[in-house]
């Protein structure tokens, strides 16, 4: 089977207009889990809110996340080569806002974080935590795609994650009791 492309009549100018789509309104409608990514900076702890943390591979255990190429945290992540990824729970909207806000307010010494034994800033009392070693960093448009191998993973059972949708945070805990094999 073959296909023929249509041809223009002689002396007809074909104008192709390419308009770059704005992906922001599309992805605002998607639900994302909310993470805080931390590392050690030259002058202290560094961290940011991220909505783009994804599982890449089980064997080896790899995750990925995107970070703006203009982010002050990017240089520290690449230099240090280690990150802690914290999944926020449904009651931690204030942490999402805090780590998306001014850098100087992110690590106020108020008992919400401490240094772990490997030298990473560690948020306390989160739904889940991963520590990982950066394996690759790829320029991707105005972002950098980071791929990291997970060294440790921990989670707290029965804590619903914080979700981000349409510019706001939400709880995604089920409103009905969980079922196991159809039995409550």
């Amino acid at each position: 089977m073959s296909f023929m492309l249509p041809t223009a009549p002689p002396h007809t100018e074909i104008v192709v207009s390419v308009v770059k789509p704005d992906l922001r309104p599309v992805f605002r409608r998607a639900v994302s889990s909310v993470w805080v990514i931390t590392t050690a900076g030259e002058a202290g702890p560094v961290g940011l809110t991220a909505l783009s943390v994804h599982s890449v591979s089980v064997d080896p255990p790899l995750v990925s996340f995107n970070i703006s190429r203009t982010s002050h945290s990017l240089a520290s992540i690449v230099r240090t080569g280690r990150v802690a990824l914290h999944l926020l729970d449904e009651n931690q909207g204030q942490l999402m806002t805090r780590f998306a806000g001014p850098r100087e307010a992110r690590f106020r010494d108020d008992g919400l974080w401490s240094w772990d034994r490997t030298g990473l800033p560690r948020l306390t009392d989160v739904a889940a935590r991963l520590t990982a070693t950066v394996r690759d960093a790829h320029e991707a448009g105005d972002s950098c795609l980071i791929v990291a191998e997970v060294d440790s993973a921990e989670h707290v059972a029965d804590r619903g994650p914080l979700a981000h949708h349409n510019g706001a945070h939400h709880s995604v805990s089920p409103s009905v009791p969980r079922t196991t094999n159809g039995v409550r």
Side-chain angles (χ1 to χ4, degrees):
M1 177 178 263
S2 65
F3 296 95
M4 295 188 61
L5 296 176
T7 57
H11 308 290
T12 302
E13 182 178 343
I14 298 176
V15 178
V16 177
S17 174
V18 177
V19 177
K20 292 182 183 177
D22 184 359
L23 298 178
R24 290 173 293 194
V26 173
F27 282 96
R28 284 179 62 92
R29 282 149 183 81
V31 176
S32 301
S33 54
V34 180
W35 295 76
V36 169
I37 300 172
T38 62
T39 194
E42 290 181 353
V46 174
L48 66 140
T49 297
L51 304 175
S52 64
V53 175
H54 300 283
S55 173
V56 174
S57 170
V58 173
D59 188 16
L62 299 175
V63 295
S64 70
F65 60 92
N66 298 337
I67 182 170
S68 172
R69 288 177 41 202
T70 61
S71 171
H72 291 89
S73 301
L74 179 58
S76 294
I77 290 170
V78 171
R79 182 187 51 76
T80 304
R82 302 253 315 127
V83 292
L85 302 100
H86 308 85
L87 177 63
L88 300 186
D89 80 21
E90 61 197 348
N91 298 309
Q92 294 178 313
Q94 79 284 359
L95 278 179
M96 176 190 83
T97 303
R98 181 174 172 173
F99 278 87
R103 290 187 311 250
E104 60 276 1
R106 295 178 186 175
F107 288 95
R108 288 189 314 246
D109 190 15
D110 57 6
L112 292 176
W113 74 279
S114 64
W115 293 103
D116 75 5
R117 62 179 175 72
T118 69
L120 287 173
R122 170 187 174 113
L123 299 181
T124 56
D125 197 32
V126 292
R129 182 180 306 104
L130 307 172
T131 59
T133 302
V134 174
R135 294 292 175 225
D136 296 296
H138 305 279
E139 283 189 16
D142 60 3
S143 294
C144 186
L145 173 67
I146 304 289
V147 177
E149 186 167 349
V150 176
D151 305 312
S152 69
E154 55 187 295
H155 72 280
V156 177
D158 298 326
R159 286 181 72 178
L162 183 65
H164 188 268
H165 173 259
N166 206 24
H169 61 279
H170 306 275
S171 170
V172 294
S173 289
S175 58
V176 295
R178 295 183 183 161
T179 61
T180 305
N181 296 329
V183 179
R184 288 190 189 191

